[in-house]
Amino acid sequence: MKIGFIGLGNMGQPIARTLLQAGHELIVYNRTRSAADELQGLGVPVANSPAQAAEAVEVLFTMLADDAALEAVLQGTADLPGAMGRLGQGAVHISLSTISVALSQRLAAAHAEAGQTYLAAPVFGRPEAAAAAKLWVVAAGDPAQLERCRPLLDAIGQGVFVVGDQPWLANVVKLSGNFLIASMLEALSEAFVLVQKSGVPPQQFLEIANTALFKSPLYQNYGTLIVEGRDLPAGFKLALGLKDVRLALEAAEAVAAPMPLASLVHDHCLSGVARGQADADWAVGLGRVNAQNAGLDL
């Protein structure tokens, strides 16, 4: 397929490379052009604008940090034409981004009006999983178009979950999943503080918990990050975690589903950002908030 790909950050770069290796024809765009250097070296053309990346492609992928970034590349400006106006009729836009339910709903309506298809396919996994094509994809949208694009989604991950024919359903699942991860980070951080202040090394506690209680790579990997304080390079920044928990709360409010734990985690993420941890890995950022609240100097 001929694919346009917009957004070459920690996740977008390896995903685009995987699609290229799968034999697809790509044109890419990134606001910071240097991020496209590696792909350009592999023979991939680099667009000068989001509009150019969307022109004459069958599928347009976007992998961007938040609602504002996605809307900016789609709508564009007088100086930098957006992708929406150049994407052809019959084309498919697949958003891999973690965005709000409300934006996902607006995009579905806008693309339908333009004679295009919008699919939501947010992913679970950190940059190393993206590089290994081991992401988990949560997809939703028109069943026929999902089937048509299924080989693309299969190429980037180890599994695809189709959760409905309305794209926003995939975003609800993604936000709910990220809420679960954030809650796990909060619980691990609090437990680490308790055992550390009581004289038990957190690393030993992590080994016990991940052997006798949960046996999960999430606990092992994130727990190790917290214990070792490895905040840079951040696989997922605390500022983005704050955004995702906020979006989960917004989605919950829209359907009158109270999420008191999400409110607590949101405030701790916000506290970490206020303490200068915005760019730290979110596991380490939340760990530091709970440690500092307990009087530990990390």
Side-chain angles (χ1 to χ4, degrees), residues 1-5 15 18-20 22-26 58-61 92 94 96 119 121 123 133 135 137 145-157 160:
M1 284 189 180
K2 186 172 182 180
I3 296 170
F5 201 104
I15 292 173
T18 295
L19 291 169
L20 178 67
H24 299 286
E25 179 184 353
L26 265 66
E58 298 170 79
V59 177
L60 174 68
F61 277 94
V92 179
I94 301 178
L96 303 172
L119 303 176
V123 298
L135 297 168
V137 183
Q145 294 292 359
L146 275 173
E147 185 64 24
R148 174 190 169 203
C149 296
R150 183 64 183 255
L152 303 178
L153 302 180
D154 286 338
I156 68 174
V160 178

PDB file of all heavy atoms in Angstrom, residues 1-5 15 18-20 22-26 58-61 92 94 96 119 121 123 133 135 137 145-157 160:
ATOM      1  N   MET A   1       0.832  -1.203   0.000  1.00  0.00           N
ATOM      2  CA  MET A   1       0.000   0.000   0.000  1.00  0.00           C
ATOM      3  C   MET A   1       0.871   1.259   0.000  1.00  0.00           C
ATOM      4  O   MET A   1       1.999   1.231   0.502  1.00  0.00           O
ATOM      5  CB  MET A   1      -0.902   0.034   1.239  1.00  0.00           C
ATOM      6  CG  MET A   1      -2.088  -0.893   1.197  1.00  0.00           C
ATOM      7  SD  MET A   1      -3.207  -0.576   2.585  1.00  0.00           S
ATOM      8  CE  MET A   1      -4.462  -1.792   2.260  1.00  0.00           C
ATOM      9  N   LYS A   2       0.314   2.333  -0.514  1.00  0.00           N
ATOM     10  CA  LYS A   2       0.988   3.618  -0.422  1.00  0.00           C
ATOM     11  C   LYS A   2       0.507   4.305   0.847  1.00  0.00           C
ATOM     12  O   LYS A   2      -0.679   4.566   1.012  1.00  0.00           O
ATOM     13  CB  LYS A   2       0.697   4.484  -1.647  1.00  0.00           C
ATOM     14  CG  LYS A   2       1.498   5.776  -1.638  1.00  0.00           C
ATOM     15  CD  LYS A   2       1.365   6.551  -2.935  1.00  0.00           C
ATOM     16  CE  LYS A   2       2.237   7.811  -2.897  1.00  0.00           C
ATOM     17  NZ  LYS A   2       2.125   8.600  -4.146  1.00  0.00           N
ATOM     18  N   ILE A   3       1.454   4.607   1.735  1.00  0.00           N
ATOM     19  CA  ILE A   3       1.119   5.078   3.083  1.00  0.00           C
ATOM     20  C   ILE A   3       1.767   6.424   3.350  1.00  0.00           C
ATOM     21  O   ILE A   3       2.950   6.632   3.073  1.00  0.00           O
ATOM     22  CB  ILE A   3       1.625   4.057   4.136  1.00  0.00           C
ATOM     23  CG1 ILE A   3       0.897   2.718   3.972  1.00  0.00           C
ATOM     24  CG2 ILE A   3       1.446   4.593   5.546  1.00  0.00           C
ATOM     25  CD1 ILE A   3       1.504   1.612   4.811  1.00  0.00           C
ATOM     26  N   GLY A   4       0.998   7.337   3.916  1.00  0.00           N
ATOM     27  CA  GLY A   4       1.538   8.550   4.502  1.00  0.00           C
ATOM     28  C   GLY A   4       1.656   8.346   5.994  1.00  0.00           C
ATOM     29  O   GLY A   4       0.781   7.726   6.608  1.00  0.00           O
ATOM     30  N   PHE A   5       2.739   8.825   6.587  1.00  0.00           N
ATOM     31  CA  PHE A   5       2.933   8.637   8.030  1.00  0.00           C
ATOM     32  C   PHE A   5       3.364   9.965   8.638  1.00  0.00           C
ATOM     33  O   PHE A   5       4.396  10.530   8.258  1.00  0.00           O
ATOM     34  CB  PHE A   5       3.990   7.567   8.312  1.00  0.00           C
ATOM     35  CG  PHE A   5       3.897   6.981   9.692  1.00  0.00           C
ATOM     36  CD1 PHE A   5       3.367   5.716   9.896  1.00  0.00           C
ATOM     37  CD2 PHE A   5       4.311   7.705  10.811  1.00  0.00           C
ATOM     38  CE1 PHE A   5       3.256   5.173  11.171  1.00  0.00           C
ATOM     39  CE2 PHE A   5       4.213   7.179  12.085  1.00  0.00           C
ATOM     40  CZ  PHE A   5       3.678   5.910  12.267  1.00  0.00           C
ATOM     41  N   ILE A  15       7.513   2.437  14.256  1.00  0.00           N
ATOM     42  CA  ILE A  15       6.334   1.893  13.571  1.00  0.00           C
ATOM     43  C   ILE A  15       6.452   2.131  12.068  1.00  0.00           C
ATOM     44  O   ILE A  15       6.185   1.229  11.253  1.00  0.00           O
ATOM     45  CB  ILE A  15       5.045   2.518  14.132  1.00  0.00           C
ATOM     46  CG1 ILE A  15       4.814   2.064  15.572  1.00  0.00           C
ATOM     47  CG2 ILE A  15       3.843   2.147  13.267  1.00  0.00           C
ATOM     48  CD1 ILE A  15       3.660   2.763  16.267  1.00  0.00           C
ATOM     49  N   THR A  18       8.880  -0.257  10.573  1.00  0.00           N
ATOM     50  CA  THR A  18       8.306  -1.595  10.447  1.00  0.00           C
ATOM     51  C   THR A  18       7.422  -1.708   9.209  1.00  0.00           C
ATOM     52  O   THR A  18       7.466  -2.711   8.479  1.00  0.00           O
ATOM     53  CB  THR A  18       7.486  -1.942  11.703  1.00  0.00           C
ATOM     54  OG1 THR A  18       8.365  -2.011  12.836  1.00  0.00           O
ATOM     55  CG2 THR A  18       6.776  -3.278  11.546  1.00  0.00           C
ATOM     56  N   LEU A  19       6.616  -0.683   8.949  1.00  0.00           N
ATOM     57  CA  LEU A  19       5.757  -0.694   7.763  1.00  0.00           C
ATOM     58  C   LEU A  19       6.589  -0.697   6.486  1.00  0.00           C
ATOM     59  O   LEU A  19       6.246  -1.359   5.501  1.00  0.00           O
ATOM     60  CB  LEU A  19       4.821   0.514   7.787  1.00  0.00           C
ATOM     61  CG  LEU A  19       3.730   0.482   8.869  1.00  0.00           C
ATOM     62  CD1 LEU A  19       3.040   1.837   8.966  1.00  0.00           C
ATOM     63  CD2 LEU A  19       2.711  -0.613   8.570  1.00  0.00           C
ATOM     64  N   LEU A  20       7.693   0.028   6.512  1.00  0.00           N
ATOM     65  CA  LEU A  20       8.594   0.033   5.364  1.00  0.00           C
ATOM     66  C   LEU A  20       9.187  -1.351   5.147  1.00  0.00           C
ATOM     67  O   LEU A  20       9.232  -1.865   4.025  1.00  0.00           O
ATOM     68  CB  LEU A  20       9.707   1.059   5.583  1.00  0.00           C
ATOM     69  CG  LEU A  20      10.765   1.166   4.478  1.00  0.00           C
ATOM     70  CD1 LEU A  20      10.144   1.723   3.193  1.00  0.00           C
ATOM     71  CD2 LEU A  20      11.925   2.058   4.947  1.00  0.00           C
ATOM     72  N   ALA A  22       7.923  -4.065   5.919  1.00  0.00           N
ATOM     73  CA  ALA A  22       6.868  -4.991   5.484  1.00  0.00           C
ATOM     74  C   ALA A  22       6.555  -4.848   4.001  1.00  0.00           C
ATOM     75  O   ALA A  22       5.684  -5.549   3.475  1.00  0.00           O
ATOM     76  CB  ALA A  22       5.605  -4.768   6.313  1.00  0.00           C
ATOM     77  N   GLY A  23       7.241  -3.932   3.329  1.00  0.00           N
ATOM     78  CA  GLY A  23       7.107  -3.820   1.894  1.00  0.00           C
ATOM     79  C   GLY A  23       6.195  -2.728   1.390  1.00  0.00           C
ATOM     80  O   GLY A  23       5.883  -2.674   0.193  1.00  0.00           O
ATOM     81  N   HIS A  24       5.780  -1.829   2.276  1.00  0.00           N
ATOM     82  CA  HIS A  24       4.868  -0.762   1.863  1.00  0.00           C
ATOM     83  C   HIS A  24       5.643   0.476   1.418  1.00  0.00           C
ATOM     84  O   HIS A  24       6.784   0.712   1.843  1.00  0.00           O
ATOM     85  CB  HIS A  24       3.912  -0.427   3.012  1.00  0.00           C
ATOM     86  CG  HIS A  24       3.065  -1.594   3.418  1.00  0.00           C
ATOM     87  ND1 HIS A  24       2.013  -2.036   2.661  1.00  0.00           N
ATOM     88  CD2 HIS A  24       3.154  -2.431   4.499  1.00  0.00           C
ATOM     89  CE1 HIS A  24       1.460  -3.086   3.251  1.00  0.00           C
ATOM     90  NE2 HIS A  24       2.142  -3.355   4.359  1.00  0.00           N
ATOM     91  N   GLU A  25       5.001   1.276   0.588  1.00  0.00           N
ATOM     92  CA  GLU A  25       5.593   2.510   0.079  1.00  0.00           C
ATOM     93  C   GLU A  25       5.195   3.658   1.005  1.00  0.00           C
ATOM     94  O   GLU A  25       4.012   3.915   1.210  1.00  0.00           O
ATOM     95  CB  GLU A  25       5.089   2.780  -1.339  1.00  0.00           C
ATOM     96  CG  GLU A  25       5.633   4.051  -1.964  1.00  0.00           C
ATOM     97  CD  GLU A  25       5.036   4.333  -3.327  1.00  0.00           C
ATOM     98  OE1 GLU A  25       4.302   3.467  -3.847  1.00  0.00           O
ATOM     99  OE2 GLU A  25       5.271   5.434  -3.863  1.00  0.00           O
ATOM    100  N   LEU A  26       6.185   4.359   1.554  1.00  0.00           N
ATOM    101  CA  LEU A  26       5.907   5.396   2.541  1.00  0.00           C
ATOM    102  C   LEU A  26       6.338   6.776   2.078  1.00  0.00           C
ATOM    103  O   LEU A  26       7.303   6.923   1.324  1.00  0.00           O
ATOM    104  CB  LEU A  26       6.635   5.098   3.865  1.00  0.00           C
ATOM    105  CG  LEU A  26       5.856   4.351   4.960  1.00  0.00           C
ATOM    106  CD1 LEU A  26       5.541   2.929   4.518  1.00  0.00           C
ATOM    107  CD2 LEU A  26       6.632   4.357   6.275  1.00  0.00           C
ATOM    108  N   GLU A  58      -3.121   5.793   0.027  1.00  0.00           N
ATOM    109  CA  GLU A  58      -4.288   4.959   0.328  1.00  0.00           C
ATOM    110  C   GLU A  58      -4.632   5.020   1.816  1.00  0.00           C
ATOM    111  O   GLU A  58      -5.806   5.002   2.196  1.00  0.00           O
ATOM    112  CB  GLU A  58      -4.005   3.515  -0.061  1.00  0.00           C
ATOM    113  CG  GLU A  58      -3.737   3.298  -1.525  1.00  0.00           C
ATOM    114  CD  GLU A  58      -3.235   1.895  -1.798  1.00  0.00           C
ATOM    115  OE1 GLU A  58      -4.079   0.981  -1.837  1.00  0.00           O
ATOM    116  OE2 GLU A  58      -2.008   1.720  -1.947  1.00  0.00           O
ATOM    117  N   VAL A  59      -3.590   5.081   2.642  1.00  0.00           N
ATOM    118  CA  VAL A  59      -3.769   5.101   4.095  1.00  0.00           C
ATOM    119  C   VAL A  59      -2.850   6.153   4.690  1.00  0.00           C
ATOM    120  O   VAL A  59      -1.662   6.221   4.348  1.00  0.00           O
ATOM    121  CB  VAL A  59      -3.447   3.721   4.718  1.00  0.00           C
ATOM    122  CG1 VAL A  59      -3.569   3.785   6.237  1.00  0.00           C
ATOM    123  CG2 VAL A  59      -4.370   2.646   4.154  1.00  0.00           C
ATOM    124  N   LEU A  60      -3.404   6.957   5.577  1.00  0.00           N
ATOM    125  CA  LEU A  60      -2.618   7.940   6.316  1.00  0.00           C
ATOM    126  C   LEU A  60      -2.579   7.529   7.780  1.00  0.00           C
ATOM    127  O   LEU A  60      -3.622   7.413   8.431  1.00  0.00           O
ATOM    128  CB  LEU A  60      -3.238   9.333   6.204  1.00  0.00           C
ATOM    129  CG  LEU A  60      -2.573  10.424   7.051  1.00  0.00           C
ATOM    130  CD1 LEU A  60      -1.167  10.729   6.534  1.00  0.00           C
ATOM    131  CD2 LEU A  60      -3.422  11.693   7.076  1.00  0.00           C
ATOM    132  N   PHE A  61      -1.380   7.281   8.293  1.00  0.00           N
ATOM    133  CA  PHE A  61      -1.191   7.007   9.717  1.00  0.00           C
ATOM    134  C   PHE A  61      -0.791   8.302  10.431  1.00  0.00           C
ATOM    135  O   PHE A  61       0.013   9.085   9.900  1.00  0.00           O
ATOM    136  CB  PHE A  61      -0.070   5.996   9.938  1.00  0.00           C
ATOM    137  CG  PHE A  61      -0.464   4.563   9.786  1.00  0.00           C
ATOM    138  CD1 PHE A  61      -0.307   3.904   8.575  1.00  0.00           C
ATOM    139  CD2 PHE A  61      -0.984   3.854  10.856  1.00  0.00           C
ATOM    140  CE1 PHE A  61      -0.653   2.576   8.424  1.00  0.00           C
ATOM    141  CE2 PHE A  61      -1.342   2.517  10.726  1.00  0.00           C
ATOM    142  CZ  PHE A  61      -1.182   1.874   9.506  1.00  0.00           C
ATOM    143  N   VAL A  92      -8.090   6.165   3.822  1.00  0.00           N
ATOM    144  CA  VAL A  92      -8.317   5.808   5.223  1.00  0.00           C
ATOM    145  C   VAL A  92      -7.311   6.529   6.099  1.00  0.00           C
ATOM    146  O   VAL A  92      -6.108   6.529   5.809  1.00  0.00           O
ATOM    147  CB  VAL A  92      -8.176   4.285   5.434  1.00  0.00           C
ATOM    148  CG1 VAL A  92      -8.400   3.927   6.909  1.00  0.00           C
ATOM    149  CG2 VAL A  92      -9.164   3.527   4.556  1.00  0.00           C
ATOM    150  N   ILE A  94      -5.796   6.322   9.769  1.00  0.00           N
ATOM    151  CA  ILE A  94      -5.666   5.487  10.974  1.00  0.00           C
ATOM    152  C   ILE A  94      -4.906   6.277  12.024  1.00  0.00           C
ATOM    153  O   ILE A  94      -3.725   6.579  11.850  1.00  0.00           O
ATOM    154  CB  ILE A  94      -4.925   4.173  10.682  1.00  0.00           C
ATOM    155  CG1 ILE A  94      -5.650   3.363   9.605  1.00  0.00           C
ATOM    156  CG2 ILE A  94      -4.807   3.343  11.960  1.00  0.00           C
ATOM    157  CD1 ILE A  94      -4.943   2.065   9.222  1.00  0.00           C
ATOM    158  N   LEU A  96      -3.123   6.276  15.421  1.00  0.00           N
ATOM    159  CA  LEU A  96      -2.516   5.423  16.444  1.00  0.00           C
ATOM    160  C   LEU A  96      -2.397   6.149  17.779  1.00  0.00           C
ATOM    161  O   LEU A  96      -1.985   5.552  18.780  1.00  0.00           O
ATOM    162  CB  LEU A  96      -1.124   4.990  15.991  1.00  0.00           C
ATOM    163  CG  LEU A  96      -1.030   4.252  14.644  1.00  0.00           C
ATOM    164  CD1 LEU A  96       0.433   4.066  14.250  1.00  0.00           C
ATOM    165  CD2 LEU A  96      -1.729   2.908  14.700  1.00  0.00           C
ATOM    166  N   LEU A 119     -10.309   5.349  11.148  1.00  0.00           N
ATOM    167  CA  LEU A 119     -10.164   4.216  12.053  1.00  0.00           C
ATOM    168  C   LEU A 119      -9.293   4.625  13.232  1.00  0.00           C
ATOM    169  O   LEU A 119      -8.287   5.313  13.050  1.00  0.00           O
ATOM    170  CB  LEU A 119      -9.503   3.023  11.347  1.00  0.00           C
ATOM    171  CG  LEU A 119     -10.172   2.483  10.080  1.00  0.00           C
ATOM    172  CD1 LEU A 119      -9.315   1.374   9.480  1.00  0.00           C
ATOM    173  CD2 LEU A 119     -11.576   1.993  10.369  1.00  0.00           C
ATOM    174  N   ALA A 121      -6.816   3.216  16.103  1.00  0.00           N
ATOM    175  CA  ALA A 121      -6.027   2.016  16.396  1.00  0.00           C
ATOM    176  C   ALA A 121      -4.899   2.346  17.374  1.00  0.00           C
ATOM    177  O   ALA A 121      -3.712   2.157  17.059  1.00  0.00           O
ATOM    178  CB  ALA A 121      -5.472   1.412  15.115  1.00  0.00           C
ATOM    179  N   VAL A 123      -2.282   1.990  20.476  1.00  0.00           N
ATOM    180  CA  VAL A 123      -1.463   0.810  20.765  1.00  0.00           C
ATOM    181  C   VAL A 123      -1.004   0.799  22.224  1.00  0.00           C
ATOM    182  O   VAL A 123      -0.811   1.839  22.844  1.00  0.00           O
ATOM    183  CB  VAL A 123      -0.233   0.747  19.836  1.00  0.00           C
ATOM    184  CG1 VAL A 123      -0.679   0.638  18.382  1.00  0.00           C
ATOM    185  CG2 VAL A 123       0.674   1.973  20.020  1.00  0.00           C
ATOM    186  N   ALA A 133       8.182  -4.665  16.728  1.00  0.00           N
ATOM    187  CA  ALA A 133       6.872  -5.003  16.149  1.00  0.00           C
ATOM    188  C   ALA A 133       6.072  -5.892  17.096  1.00  0.00           C
ATOM    189  O   ALA A 133       5.415  -6.853  16.677  1.00  0.00           O
ATOM    190  CB  ALA A 133       7.028  -5.659  14.786  1.00  0.00           C
ATOM    191  N   LEU A 135       3.815  -4.535  19.490  1.00  0.00           N
ATOM    192  CA  LEU A 135       2.753  -3.751  20.101  1.00  0.00           C
ATOM    193  C   LEU A 135       1.460  -4.568  20.159  1.00  0.00           C
ATOM    194  O   LEU A 135       1.280  -5.547  19.429  1.00  0.00           O
ATOM    195  CB  LEU A 135       2.515  -2.472  19.292  1.00  0.00           C
ATOM    196  CG  LEU A 135       3.684  -1.486  19.226  1.00  0.00           C
ATOM    197  CD1 LEU A 135       3.425  -0.427  18.172  1.00  0.00           C
ATOM    198  CD2 LEU A 135       3.929  -0.850  20.588  1.00  0.00           C
ATOM    199  N   VAL A 137      -2.470  -3.818  19.463  1.00  0.00           N
ATOM    200  CA  VAL A 137      -3.271  -2.813  18.781  1.00  0.00           C
ATOM    201  C   VAL A 137      -4.736  -2.978  19.171  1.00  0.00           C
ATOM    202  O   VAL A 137      -5.276  -4.089  19.129  1.00  0.00           O
ATOM    203  CB  VAL A 137      -3.133  -2.942  17.248  1.00  0.00           C
ATOM    204  CG1 VAL A 137      -3.924  -1.842  16.547  1.00  0.00           C
ATOM    205  CG2 VAL A 137      -1.668  -2.906  16.839  1.00  0.00           C
ATOM    206  N   GLN A 145     -13.287  -1.687   6.195  1.00  0.00           N
ATOM    207  CA  GLN A 145     -12.007  -0.979   6.107  1.00  0.00           C
ATOM    208  C   GLN A 145     -10.994  -1.531   7.112  1.00  0.00           C
ATOM    209  O   GLN A 145      -9.793  -1.565   6.832  1.00  0.00           O
ATOM    210  CB  GLN A 145     -12.213   0.524   6.315  1.00  0.00           C
ATOM    211  CG  GLN A 145     -13.009   1.187   5.215  1.00  0.00           C
ATOM    212  CD  GLN A 145     -12.259   1.221   3.892  1.00  0.00           C
ATOM    213  OE1 GLN A 145     -11.122   0.772   3.779  1.00  0.00           O
ATOM    214  NE2 GLN A 145     -12.907   1.748   2.860  1.00  0.00           N
ATOM    215  N   LEU A 146     -11.473  -1.971   8.256  1.00  0.00           N
ATOM    216  CA  LEU A 146     -10.569  -2.620   9.213  1.00  0.00           C
ATOM    217  C   LEU A 146      -9.977  -3.890   8.599  1.00  0.00           C
ATOM    218  O   LEU A 146      -8.785  -4.174   8.756  1.00  0.00           O
ATOM    219  CB  LEU A 146     -11.310  -2.961  10.506  1.00  0.00           C
ATOM    220  CG  LEU A 146     -11.424  -1.858  11.550  1.00  0.00           C
ATOM    221  CD1 LEU A 146     -12.320  -2.301  12.698  1.00  0.00           C
ATOM    222  CD2 LEU A 146     -10.046  -1.471  12.091  1.00  0.00           C
ATOM    223  N   GLU A 147     -10.803  -4.635   7.909  1.00  0.00           N
ATOM    224  CA  GLU A 147     -10.319  -5.859   7.271  1.00  0.00           C
ATOM    225  C   GLU A 147      -9.305  -5.520   6.184  1.00  0.00           C
ATOM    226  O   GLU A 147      -8.279  -6.206   6.033  1.00  0.00           O
ATOM    227  CB  GLU A 147     -11.495  -6.635   6.683  1.00  0.00           C
ATOM    228  CG  GLU A 147     -11.114  -7.988   6.108  1.00  0.00           C
ATOM    229  CD  GLU A 147     -10.580  -8.958   7.147  1.00  0.00           C
ATOM    230  OE1 GLU A 147     -10.894  -8.809   8.344  1.00  0.00           O
ATOM    231  OE2 GLU A 147      -9.812  -9.878   6.755  1.00  0.00           O
ATOM    232  N   ARG A 148      -9.598  -4.466   5.423  1.00  0.00           N
ATOM    233  CA  ARG A 148      -8.677  -4.044   4.365  1.00  0.00           C
ATOM    234  C   ARG A 148      -7.321  -3.643   4.936  1.00  0.00           C
ATOM    235  O   ARG A 148      -6.273  -3.937   4.358  1.00  0.00           O
ATOM    236  CB  ARG A 148      -9.296  -2.874   3.606  1.00  0.00           C
ATOM    237  CG  ARG A 148      -8.396  -2.235   2.563  1.00  0.00           C
ATOM    238  CD  ARG A 148      -8.995  -0.952   2.043  1.00  0.00           C
ATOM    239  NE  ARG A 148      -8.042  -0.193   1.233  1.00  0.00           N
ATOM    240  CZ  ARG A 148      -8.115   1.113   1.020  1.00  0.00           C
ATOM    241  NH1 ARG A 148      -9.105   1.818   1.536  1.00  0.00           N
ATOM    242  NH2 ARG A 148      -7.209   1.719   0.287  1.00  0.00           N
ATOM    243  N   CYS A 149      -7.351  -2.968   6.089  1.00  0.00           N
ATOM    244  CA  CYS A 149      -6.107  -2.452   6.690  1.00  0.00           C
ATOM    245  C   CYS A 149      -5.499  -3.419   7.701  1.00  0.00           C
ATOM    246  O   CYS A 149      -4.447  -3.104   8.281  1.00  0.00           O
ATOM    247  CB  CYS A 149      -6.374  -1.106   7.359  1.00  0.00           C
ATOM    248  SG  CYS A 149      -6.877   0.197   6.206  1.00  0.00           S
ATOM    249  N   ARG A 150      -6.116  -4.560   7.894  1.00  0.00           N
ATOM    250  CA  ARG A 150      -5.639  -5.495   8.904  1.00  0.00           C
ATOM    251  C   ARG A 150      -4.171  -5.903   8.703  1.00  0.00           C
ATOM    252  O   ARG A 150      -3.413  -5.997   9.688  1.00  0.00           O
ATOM    253  CB  ARG A 150      -6.542  -6.728   8.929  1.00  0.00           C
ATOM    254  CG  ARG A 150      -6.193  -7.772   9.992  1.00  0.00           C
ATOM    255  CD  ARG A 150      -6.372  -7.233  11.402  1.00  0.00           C
ATOM    256  NE  ARG A 150      -5.971  -8.188  12.404  1.00  0.00           N
ATOM    257  CZ  ARG A 150      -6.845  -8.890  13.147  1.00  0.00           C
ATOM    258  NH1 ARG A 150      -8.144  -8.717  12.978  1.00  0.00           N
ATOM    259  NH2 ARG A 150      -6.409  -9.734  14.040  1.00  0.00           N
ATOM    260  N   PRO A 151      -3.712  -6.127   7.462  1.00  0.00           N
ATOM    261  CA  PRO A 151      -2.291  -6.485   7.296  1.00  0.00           C
ATOM    262  C   PRO A 151      -1.333  -5.411   7.824  1.00  0.00           C
ATOM    263  O   PRO A 151      -0.245  -5.744   8.300  1.00  0.00           O
ATOM    264  CB  PRO A 151      -2.153  -6.661   5.787  1.00  0.00           C
ATOM    265  CG  PRO A 151      -3.523  -7.029   5.317  1.00  0.00           C
ATOM    266  CD  PRO A 151      -4.446  -6.230   6.182  1.00  0.00           C
ATOM    267  N   LEU A 152      -1.734  -4.148   7.737  1.00  0.00           N
ATOM    268  CA  LEU A 152      -0.886  -3.073   8.256  1.00  0.00           C
ATOM    269  C   LEU A 152      -0.805  -3.143   9.779  1.00  0.00           C
ATOM    270  O   LEU A 152       0.268  -2.984  10.360  1.00  0.00           O
ATOM    271  CB  LEU A 152      -1.440  -1.714   7.834  1.00  0.00           C
ATOM    272  CG  LEU A 152      -1.611  -1.468   6.340  1.00  0.00           C
ATOM    273  CD1 LEU A 152      -2.215  -0.095   6.090  1.00  0.00           C
ATOM    274  CD2 LEU A 152      -0.275  -1.605   5.617  1.00  0.00           C
ATOM    275  N   LEU A 153      -1.944  -3.388  10.410  1.00  0.00           N
ATOM    276  CA  LEU A 153      -1.971  -3.467  11.871  1.00  0.00           C
ATOM    277  C   LEU A 153      -1.260  -4.724  12.358  1.00  0.00           C
ATOM    278  O   LEU A 153      -0.555  -4.697  13.371  1.00  0.00           O
ATOM    279  CB  LEU A 153      -3.415  -3.431  12.370  1.00  0.00           C
ATOM    280  CG  LEU A 153      -4.234  -2.194  11.952  1.00  0.00           C
ATOM    281  CD1 LEU A 153      -5.652  -2.279  12.502  1.00  0.00           C
ATOM    282  CD2 LEU A 153      -3.555  -0.904  12.411  1.00  0.00           C
ATOM    283  N   ASP A 154      -1.450  -5.816  11.628  1.00  0.00           N
ATOM    284  CA  ASP A 154      -0.748  -7.051  11.999  1.00  0.00           C
ATOM    285  C   ASP A 154       0.764  -6.875  11.911  1.00  0.00           C
ATOM    286  O   ASP A 154       1.515  -7.467  12.700  1.00  0.00           O
ATOM    287  CB  ASP A 154      -1.168  -8.193  11.077  1.00  0.00           C
ATOM    288  CG  ASP A 154      -2.571  -8.711  11.364  1.00  0.00           C
ATOM    289  OD1 ASP A 154      -3.069  -8.500  12.485  1.00  0.00           O
ATOM    290  OD2 ASP A 154      -3.181  -9.312  10.462  1.00  0.00           O
ATOM    291  N   ALA A 155       1.220  -6.061  10.962  1.00  0.00           N
ATOM    292  CA  ALA A 155       2.664  -5.896  10.753  1.00  0.00           C
ATOM    293  C   ALA A 155       3.342  -5.214  11.924  1.00  0.00           C
ATOM    294  O   ALA A 155       4.511  -5.479  12.212  1.00  0.00           O
ATOM    295  CB  ALA A 155       2.914  -5.103   9.472  1.00  0.00           C
ATOM    296  N   ILE A 156       2.626  -4.313  12.620  1.00  0.00           N
ATOM    297  CA  ILE A 156       3.270  -3.514  13.668  1.00  0.00           C
ATOM    298  C   ILE A 156       3.142  -4.116  15.058  1.00  0.00           C
ATOM    299  O   ILE A 156       3.759  -3.613  16.004  1.00  0.00           O
ATOM    300  CB  ILE A 156       2.730  -2.069  13.682  1.00  0.00           C
ATOM    301  CG1 ILE A 156       1.270  -2.014  14.141  1.00  0.00           C
ATOM    302  CG2 ILE A 156       2.894  -1.435  12.311  1.00  0.00           C
ATOM    303  CD1 ILE A 156       0.733  -0.605  14.320  1.00  0.00           C
ATOM    304  N   GLY A 157       2.342  -5.181  15.194  1.00  0.00           N
ATOM    305  CA  GLY A 157       2.110  -5.685  16.540  1.00  0.00           C
ATOM    306  C   GLY A 157       2.054  -7.195  16.616  1.00  0.00           C
ATOM    307  O   GLY A 157       2.111  -7.912  15.615  1.00  0.00           O
ATOM    308  N   VAL A 160      -4.077  -7.910  17.476  1.00  0.00           N
ATOM    309  CA  VAL A 160      -5.025  -6.829  17.223  1.00  0.00           C
ATOM    310  C   VAL A 160      -6.354  -7.185  17.879  1.00  0.00           C
ATOM    311  O   VAL A 160      -6.908  -8.262  17.638  1.00  0.00           O
ATOM    312  CB  VAL A 160      -5.247  -6.609  15.708  1.00  0.00           C
ATOM    313  CG1 VAL A 160      -6.269  -5.501  15.465  1.00  0.00           C
ATOM    314  CG2 VAL A 160      -3.922  -6.282  15.014  1.00  0.00           C
TER     315      VAL A 160
END
